[in-house]
Amino acid sequence: MKLRSKIVLLMTLGLLGVGFVVRYRMVNRNYHRQTVKEVIVKQGELVKDKTVHFKILSAETKLTATEAFASVRISVNQIGPGNYGFKHDYPYYDENMWFNIPYGYYSVAKGAEKPHGGLLNMAEMERPGTRMIVMNFRTPIDNYRGRNGTSRFSFLVPQDSNQFIKYSYLLNFES
């Protein structure tokens, strides 16, 4: 009886192993490595991506005793379907913009602001045409001091098949 129990146990484990491999392959068959290519852009340079055209108009930076502040003015024209926030047909590009502190922390804004104040609402972002927006970022000074590279404003733009281009504008903080 012991030999029979061992054979049944081995067969059960073998079937579970085969089932695991089959299920693993089914779940991961459409997975592709997400790769990100970083492109450094300059102020005033018009970036023409497949789905969005934008230009960094200006950037202001400031360090205080308690925080690092960056305010970036951008001209944005969403010309194709947006897939921001890792969601299909999601046009809210401000979710893919952040104050990037390499090898440290990052900071997101409360949303895209209009040049003369007030948040840009979702309906305004969905309308075709060029928008002037301001992205304001704040982070505690210790987050900024922990950096291991030049701080930047980054805009992650989705491409085809889980590919991304991270457009970055280097920020100049003078103490």
Side-chain angles (χ1 to χ4, degrees):
M1 200 57 130
K2 266 193 163 193
L3 182 60
R4 187 171 183 203
S5 303
K6 288 181 182 180
I7 292 173
V8 169
L9 179 63
L10 286 174
M11 288 180 65
T12 304
L13 289 175
L15 286 173
L16 286 173
V18 169
F20 173 79
V21 169
V22 169
R23 183 65 183 155
Y24 179 84
R25 292 184 62 155
M26 285 175 58
V27 167
N28 292 299
R29 74 171 165 241
N30 292 323
Y31 174 77
H32 302 285
R33 293 185 73 93
Q34 294 182 349
T35 56
V36 177
K37 174 184 169 189
E38 184 172 32
V39 175
I40 303 297
V41 298
K42 295 180 169 65
Q43 184 172 321
E45 175 184 352
L46 179 62
V47 176
K48 292 185 174 183
D49 195 272
K50 292 180 221 174
T51 60
V52 66
H53 294 174
F54 72 95
K55 185 188 308 186
I56 306 294
L57 302 173
S58 66
E60 294 176 32
T61 58
K62 183 178 177 183
L63 292 176
T64 69
T66 59
E67 68 181 3
F69 171 77
S71 180
V72 183
R73 294 175 66 91
I74 312 156
S75 168
V76 180
N77 185 7
Q78 184 68 33
I79 57 169
N83 297 317
Y84 300 104
F86 298 101
K87 299 172 190 158
H88 184 68
D89 286 332
Y90 191 74
Y92 311 116
Y93 44 80
D94 63 328
E95 291 189 20
N96 281 35
M97 296 178 178
W98 72 97
F99 175 24
N100 184 353
I101 303 170
Y103 306 104
Y105 296 90
Y106 65 92
S107 175
V108 296
K110 63 182 173 185
E113 296 181 30
K114 299 173 190 176
H116 302 292
L119 288 176
L120 195 66
N121 65 44
M122 292 180 171
E124 291 171 309
M125 241 184 261
E126 290 173 353
R127 278 191 229 124
T130 301
R131 303 271 173 274
M132 301 299 174
I133 65 168
V134 178
M135 298 296 288
N136 290 311
F137 306 95
R138 294 179 185 284
T139 192
I141 194 68
D142 289 339
N143 290 353
Y144 174 77
R145 286 186 182 135
R147 74 193 181 287
N148 192 10
T150 304
S151 297
R152 57 200 71 195
F153 162 77
S154 293
F155 182 15
L156 189 64
V157 178
Q159 305 295 304
D160 298 326
S161 67
N162 293 326
Q163 303 290 313
F164 299 89
I165 296 181
K166 178 172 55 171
Y167 293 101
S168 293
Y169 175 75
L170 302 178
L171 296 171
N172 183 19
F173 281 88
E174 294 182 13
S175 313

